[in-house]
Amino acid sequence: MKKEHIILIEPDLTGHHQMYLCHFTEALLRAGHKVTVCSSQPEIEGIDPSLILTVKQKKAFALPSKGWLKKAVILLNLYLLIRNLYYLKKKLPRNGKWFFCCIDTYMHVLMPLWLINRLLPLPFSGLLLSPYRMDKKLFHLDRRNILKAKNCKSVGVLDVFCREELEVFQPHIIHFPDFTDAATPDYTFAPVNEIREKAKGRIIIALVGSLSLRKGYRTLIDSIKHLPSTDYFFVIAGKLDKPDQMYFEDLFQKKENAFYYPHPIPTESDFNALVDSCHILYAAYVHFSQSSNMLAKASLFRKPLIVNKGYYMEKIVRKYNLGLAIDPDNPEACAQAIRTLTHRDTEKRLFEAYYEANSLDRLYAAFQEVVDSYIVKS
């Protein structure tokens, strides 16, 4: 088997991106490949500093809701993307194969294919987290055109249902496992003990991870008034966007049956301890079409899950009977889902089947397909 020099590109280390990057690096090194990790930080916990190549990448701006300002920001983000790709082209070694750990970051609906071909002169592949087209108003323009680039050899996806959607852009589609880090839970993590003491035996519903409006926490908070405080206890843990701090203080933190941990979760062991301490996981994200690491977390710790309707997570939850799907803007539906899951503990949930289908062991086979695509099509 030919060994390759694989350059992993991941400037974003928020959320579970760092966890994926560490496991990608380990999988490729164990297979005998040379690895360079291209990131925005010179030191990444879990990765040998000698493997890291620091690069400057400008983060895209969040889009305003409408108007001329939105159009201006779209153009500004296109400029930033061109700048980022140009910088990578100049900075990265010429003797390697590129793999974008989240190729979504390097997509833009206005990026022409001819310019992509100029900016990406080496064989590349990547993991596409959101494979579907979300904006139907842009007609033939599509951010996924990057997958048609002459040097794009394959694309990895977590979504097992998107093949037909993507084949028009890239015929070589590789399924990546939607794995999670099974680090031993650290039950000495202070919030875990505080939650147990305050819950006093009540059913614990938890939203854990980095927080933003798209995580649907307002619906979860608004559902509290529809449930008896004597039976249910709510946990939200993770760093919050500053503009919504008052919303939390007024409607969540003052409740007797609520607990808020306003910091990033320090380690995966701490994260796992929080997940294992609850009874129901909340992941009904707003306008969220892709997968979430909470599917694997729920399966690992055998916790029923509430997800958003209409997208990938609903399909998975239905296929494996992992929980329920709701309208993420409906607090009453959220409360009803909590009641249903509370009294449906005899349901046959296929946690083991989902976890096995997305085990970390399957990552090695996925990357072997990626490497083969470089060799066959180069």
Side-chain angles (χ1 to χ4, degrees):
M1 180 178 65
K2 183 179 178 182
K3 305 303 179 184
E4 295 286 347
H5 178 195
I6 309 299
I7 302 172
L8 296 175
I9 302 169
E10 180 55 283
D12 181 11
L13 299 177
T14 61
H16 282 90
H17 287 251
Q18 182 171 333
M19 183 269 290
Y20 273 92
L21 179 59
C22 290
H23 284 293
F24 288 177
T25 303
E26 181 183 1
L28 289 166
L29 289 173
R30 284 181 59 182
H33 301 289
K34 179 182 178 181
V35 178
T36 296
V37 176
C38 171
S39 190
S40 56
Q41 296 183 17
E43 294 184 3
I44 303 172
E45 185 177 355
I47 296 179
D48 186 337
S50 67
L51 302 178
I52 300 174
L53 176 64
T54 307
V55 296
K56 298 176 182 178
Q57 298 283 274
K58 295 289 187 180
K59 188 176 180 180
F61 291 96
L63 293 181
S65 59
K66 56 184 178 180
W68 66 267
L69 185 57
K70 180 178 180 179
K71 295 177 182 178
V73 172
I74 288 174
L75 292 175
L76 175 59
N77 285 342
L78 175 61
Y79 165 76
L80 293 177
L81 175 56
I82 294 171
R83 178 196 176 281
N84 287 342
L85 287 173
Y86 179 79
Y87 189 84
L88 289 178
K89 177 182 175 182
K90 293 294 185 182
K91 181 82 172 182
L92 298 189
R94 303 288 292 184
N95 63 343
K97 308 295 194 299
W98 294 9
F99 185 86
F100 294 95
C101 298
C102 177
I103 201 169
D104 309 62
T105 305
Y106 292 90
M107 291 179 165
H108 193 288
V109 69
L110 297 179
M111 177 73 86
L113 186 57
W114 66 265
L115 185 54
I116 293 172
N117 288 330
R118 292 287 299 273
L119 293 170
L120 296 172
L122 298 174
F124 73 92
S125 179
L127 180 62
L128 179 61
L129 296 182
S130 183
Y132 299 104
R133 180 175 183 174
M134 301 302 292
D135 192 337
K136 302 297 183 182
K137 298 179 181 180
L138 296 173
F139 305 106
H140 65 285
L141 299 175
D142 198 304
R143 68 189 184 91
R144 297 169 296 179
N145 279 333
I146 189 175
L147 304 179
K148 293 181 178 180
K150 64 181 180 182
N151 288 316
C152 184
K153 306 304 180 183
S154 60
V155 62
V157 294
L158 304 176
D159 189 321
V160 296
F161 306 107
C162 69
R163 181 170 296 274
E164 184 177 351
E165 174 99 7
L166 279 187
E167 279 181 334
V168 296
F169 298 93
Q170 171 55 244
H172 197 154
I173 300 170
I174 301 169
H175 178 237
F176 270 62
D178 196 1
F179 63 89
T180 192
D181 192 320
T184 302
D186 182 4
Y187 298 110
T188 65
F189 184 42
V192 172
N193 294 320
E194 191 173 352
I195 288 166
R196 287 175 175 171
E197 289 175 6
K198 291 185 175 181
K200 298 177 181 177
R202 287 173 284 189
I203 298 297
I204 301 173
I205 303 94
L207 168 59
V208 184
S210 58
L211 301 176
S212 62
L213 276 174
R214 73 170 180 84
K215 288 295 185 77
Y217 56 72
R218 286 195 170 197
T219 295
L220 179 63
I221 292 173
D222 291 343
S223 73
I224 297 177
K225 62 177 176 284
H226 299 286
L227 294 164
S229 61
T230 53
D231 297 335
Y232 298 99
F233 189 82
F234 293 81
V235 172
I236 297 179
K239 187 176 181 180
L240 176 69
D241 288 344
K242 288 183 179 180
D244 248 17
Q245 188 68 42
M246 188 175 296
Y247 190 89
F248 265 64
E249 291 175 353
D250 291 345
L251 297 177
F252 189 72
Q253 290 176 273
K254 293 179 181 178
K255 295 184 183 298
E256 180 275 332
N257 63 328
F259 175 84
Y260 174 45
Y261 178 73
H263 309 288
I265 314 304
T267 70
E268 205 69 26
S269 292
D270 298 330
F271 195 104
N272 288 349
L274 285 170
V275 169
D276 196 32
S277 68
C278 76
H279 300 92
I280 298 171
L281 291 173
Y282 181 85
Y285 307 148
V286 180
H287 301 306
F288 189 77
S289 66
Q290 61 200 60
S291 183
S292 162
N293 201 242
M294 295 311 296
L295 290 168
K297 291 292 187 190
S299 298
L300 175 61
F301 293 102
R302 302 177 63 83
K303 307 293 182 181
L305 192 67
I306 299 174
V307 302
N308 56 315
K309 272 186 176 181
Y311 298 105
Y312 175 75
M313 289 207 292
E314 180 185 14
K315 294 178 183 178
I316 290 295
V317 162
R318 290 186 182 278
K319 179 178 179 180
Y320 293 95
N321 194 25
L322 302 182
L324 294 172
I326 65 167
D327 177 351
D329 295 316
N330 190 331
E332 291 88 351
C334 179
Q336 183 55 49
I338 291 170
R339 291 192 202 95
T340 302
L341 291 175
T342 301
H343 300 102
R344 209 189 271 182
D345 55 358
T346 59
E347 283 277 322
K348 182 173 177 55
R349 305 199 185 282
L350 304 179
F351 292 124
E352 294 89 349
Y354 178 81
Y355 193 76
E356 171 59 27
N358 293 277
S359 69
L360 190 56
D361 291 340
R362 296 179 183 268
L363 181 62
Y364 304 104
F367 264 119
Q368 186 54 54
E369 280 195 67
V370 171
V371 173
D372 289 344
S373 75
Y374 292 137
I375 297 170
V376 173
K377 298 182 67 178
S378 293

